[in-house]
Amino acid sequence: MSELRWHPILQEWVITATHRQNRTFLPPDDYCPLCPTKPDAFPTEIPSEDYEIVTFENKFPSFRHPAPEPAVEGTELYKVRPAEGICEVVSYTSRHDGTLTDCTLDEMRNLVEVWTDRFQELSSRDFIDYVLIFENKGKDIGVTLYHPHGQIYAFPFIPPKIQTELKSASEHKQKTGRCLFCDIIEEEYKDKRRIVAENDSFAAMVPFFARYPYEVYIFSKKHHQSMLQFDEAEKADLANILKVVLLKYDNMWGISLPYMMVMHQAPTDGLDYDHYHFHIEFHPPNRTQTKLKYLAGCETGAGSYINDTVAEEKAAELRQAEPSTVENTFIKL
Amino acid sequence: MKMTKKKIQLEDGRYLVYFGFPESKKSSGSQDTDAAKTCCCRSKDDDKSGCCGGKE
Ligand SMILES: [Zn+2]
Ligand SMILES: [Zn+2]
Ligand SMILES: [Zn+2]
């Protein structure tokens, strides 16, 4: 059973997906649904004996196409609608052990190509208004499968956080005539203390307004709205800066740092979003090597974040963590 | 950049897409062992043919 229930107080859709309760939870190491199916072994989700990158429809999706009719009847106040959409899993590699950080630069470049393909294909569906590419990494984030993988949610609506960003960007554009995100990049470069890494096409930073201690934003230097506008050099540079940021995260304390990685791109509902600007956000839950930041009363209850660190110091820690460069990536400070 | 795409349907009706990259070296750890096998730089045996000249 799944449906969208309207939250009349926050004015947003809540996705109810009760079938997800019995999804696979931490299977033993010898059975992984994302490993290739070996001869005479129990079949996995992926019937081939080997593969490079695979995407497939999630077995326990939050959205479906076609979506079942809602199980409850809506009212004027309590609107319901079918949870129409598509959820895909992206298996980054056939290797079970390791993480995205361990993928080679070549493999990351290939992944950028796959992300672009999926973004293009899913956004072309008329019932899809937004395509969210993301990864939850680590048990601390609630990950149920260890095999390196990410997800793609193709939404039938524009998610609330994106709506807020769009509203801010649109207001900034009206007031100044400029792009909000381009102005943020410029402001960060004026100060320089919060820049973590950069290359020709991308800049990574712990922004002035970070809500998590080790929050990193990667912005395209050019004013692009989505990956579809990247040329070959930009795609290679995206792979490169991802590799640098991921290595820094893991090298900082010598642990595989958990994170939520989300790609923010323009909606795909056919309207004009020229005022929006491509970026990737990383939200690692760690405050220290051993302590996590919990979204407690103030955050969950009031939507107000308390960050007990300052971005300038956390950016310096990440900047100092190895490496500062991977091939064509460099810091010009 | 070359990318191959093969879409199949799983038994329960869901689709799955295999992506292949014919131009990129596949590294399942074998890249390193292959290099170790063919290149003399790692065995300090200077006379073998096919040495990468320290590039690997
Ligand atoms: Zn696996
Ligand atoms: Zn911009
Ligand atoms: Zn964003």
Side-chain angles (χ1 to χ4, degrees):
Chain A
M1 191 194 88
S2 70
E3 66 212 11
L4 302 183
R5 294 186 175 204
W6 183 246
H7 190 315
I9 307 172
L10 292 179
Q11 299 203 332
E12 61 188 41
W13 291 106
V14 177
I15 308 157
T16 55
T18 51
H19 54 267
R20 297 186 86 238
Q21 292 297 348
N22 37 23
R23 70 192 190 276
T24 327
F25 187 70
L26 298 181
D29 230 24
D30 54 354
Y31 177 72
C32 167
L34 301 185
C35 275
T37 298
K38 293 295 175 197
D40 303 322
F42 193 80
T44 71
E45 289 274 300
I46 299 153
S48 174
E49 271 185 53
D50 196 13
Y51 63 85
E52 288 176 86
I53 298 178
V54 156
T55 67
F56 58 90
E57 277 184 282
N58 197 318
K59 203 172 190 170
F60 307 101
S62 301
F63 301 122
R64 279 167 200 274
H65 179 71
E69 278 307 307
V72 293
E73 215 159 299
T75 67
E76 182 60 30
L77 186 63
Y78 288 169
K79 293 186 196 70
V80 288
R81 61 185 267 205
E84 187 90 35
I86 298 169
C87 292
E88 290 190 0
V89 176
V90 184
S91 186
Y92 298 151
T93 164
S94 60
R95 298 186 303 274
H96 180 80
D97 294 313
T99 64
L100 182 57
T101 320
D102 302 308
C103 287
T104 64
L105 209 50
D106 247 22
E107 290 170 326
M108 287 204 185
R109 171 69 186 79
N110 296 344
L111 180 59
V112 169
E113 205 63 48
V114 170
W115 280 335
T116 310
D117 176 273
R118 300 323 296 153
F119 184 80
Q120 181 149 43
E121 181 163 331
L122 293 168
S123 65
S124 72
R125 313 295 295 266
D126 56 8
F127 55 95
I128 298 304
D129 283 355
Y130 195 83
V131 178
L132 185 78
I133 296 171
F134 67 100
E135 180 188 347
N136 299 327
K137 179 196 162 195
K139 215 169 22 171
D140 293 328
I141 299 285
V143 171
T144 50
L145 286 173
Y146 291 129
H147 196 112
H149 73 287
Q151 302 189 60
I152 304 175
Y153 274 22
F155 284 76
F157 57 86
I158 302 172
K161 195 172 176 189
I162 308 298
Q163 286 193 27
T164 304
E165 291 190 2
L166 286 166
K167 188 168 170 274
S168 311
S170 163
E171 285 171 10
H172 187 84
K173 181 90 189 226
Q174 269 173 13
K175 215 165 79 187
T176 67
R178 292 189 306 271
C179 164
L180 170 63
F181 303 91
C182 286
D183 275 3
I184 289 173
I185 299 166
E186 206 186 303
E187 189 101 3
E188 290 294 344
Y189 268 92
K190 261 187 225 155
D191 187 294
K192 288 196 176 73
R193 287 178 298 166
R194 292 175 297 268
I195 309 281
V196 169
E198 70 159 342
N199 57 33
D200 288 345
S201 319
F202 294 90
M205 60 198 68
V206 180
F208 175 76
F209 48 81
R211 305 199 289 182
Y212 288 81
Y214 294 96
E215 184 168 284
V216 166
Y217 278 53
I218 298 176
F219 290 102
S220 59
K221 287 187 175 174
K222 279 204 184 139
H223 180 69
H224 290 315
Q225 285 71 57
S226 80
M227 308 179 84
L228 301 182
Q229 292 157 294
F230 293 166
D231 61 23
E232 291 294 310
E234 286 174 309
K235 284 176 181 173
D237 282 349
L238 179 57
N240 209 301
I241 198 133
L242 276 173
K243 180 87 180 167
V244 171
V245 169
L246 292 170
L247 281 168
K248 282 176 174 292
Y249 269 160
D250 286 2
N251 287 335
M252 189 169 55
W253 297 315
I255 62 164
S256 182
L257 194 76
Y259 58 73
M260 292 169 265
M261 173 180 77
V262 286
M263 211 175 280
H264 280 180
Q265 311 192 68
T268 61
D269 57 0
L271 299 178
D272 179 28
Y273 293 100
D274 190 43
H275 54 293
Y276 200 59
H277 190 125
F278 175 93
H279 59 281
I280 297 178
E281 300 177 8
F282 281 92
H283 305 287
N286 289 62
R287 294 160 54 214
T288 66
Q289 183 175 344
T290 51
K291 286 200 186 89
L292 298 180
K293 171 182 173 64
Y294 290 101
L295 297 188
C298 199
E299 287 87 358
T300 303
S304 215
Y305 280 67
I306 303 167
N307 185 350
D308 52 14
T309 63
V310 287
E312 293 74 30
E313 284 170 18
K314 298 294 121 179
E317 286 176 37
L318 281 170
R319 199 166 50 238
Q320 277 149 25
E322 290 293 325
S324 54
T325 63
V326 170
E327 285 177 30
N328 65 337
T329 302
F330 53 93
I331 298 187
K332 274 188 297 198
L333 286 177
Chain B
M1 166 167 192
K2 270 209 189 99
M3 179 173 82
T4 62
K5 242 176 110 171
K6 194 176 133 206
K7 197 168 191 170
I8 63 160
Q9 199 158 30
L10 299 170
E11 273 170 20
D12 58 8
R14 289 177 295 136
Y15 63 79
L16 179 148
V17 192
Y18 292 108
F19 292 90
F21 301 89
E23 286 169 353
S24 81
K25 263 192 278 177
K26 190 160 189 296
S27 90
S28 46
S30 62
Q31 210 178 321
D32 281 345
T33 46
D34 283 355
K37 258 184 258 156
T38 54
C39 184
C40 59
C41 300
R42 305 204 180 191
S43 59
K44 291 185 177 168
D45 177 355
D46 292 326
D47 292 320
K48 268 186 199 161
S49 64
C51 174
C52 72
K55 286 191 205 93
E56 279 174 3

